[in-house]
Amino acid sequence: MQQSTLRSPAPWWKFGHVWLILAGPAIVVVASFVTFYLAVTRPDPVISDDYYQKGIEINKTLGDDANAASLAPALQARNHAQTGVVPASKDTTKP
């Protein structure tokens, strides 16, 4: 007759697959603490209360005739690239 010896099973922490399964959630927990730290130490800048008025002033500045003349070639190139239609050249000399 053979003697059967019963071995006691190894503890759970000695199996590599257990650590592989536990590593995923552990990494997520550490990443969440890092994200929380970054959110607390680097807050977003506050937008000024009169941001709308500043935007209107910028648009007025860009809408000046002096600036419009300097932006004309860029606007023509943008429109040409967008539509594919070559704009007609304007003859600036008058008889």
Side-chain angles (χ1 to χ4, degrees):
M1 190 180 236
Q2 291 182 343
Q3 271 187 335
S4 63
T5 58
L6 296 175
R7 293 185 191 174
S8 63
W12 64 270
W13 62 83
K14 289 192 177 183
F15 292 99
H17 293 91
V18 172
W19 291 110
L20 183 65
I21 292 171
L22 292 178
I27 290 171
V28 170
V29 169
V30 170
S32 66
F33 282 118
V34 170
T35 304
F36 178 73
Y37 170 76
L38 292 175
V40 169
T41 58
R42 295 178 176 93
D44 292 335
V46 178
I47 297 175
S48 64
D49 291 335
D50 59 344
Y51 70 93
Y52 185 75
Q53 187 63 33
K54 287 181 181 179
I56 291 175
E57 291 173 8
I58 290 172
N59 287 339
K60 286 179 183 177
T61 304
L62 292 176
D64 290 344
D65 290 334
N67 285 338
S70 67
L71 292 176
L75 292 174
Q76 286 179 356
R78 184 194 73 197
N79 290 338
H80 170 66
Q82 192 172 22
T83 61
V85 177
V86 179
S89 61
K90 295 181 181 177
D91 189 15
T92 57
T93 61
K94 293 185 179 180

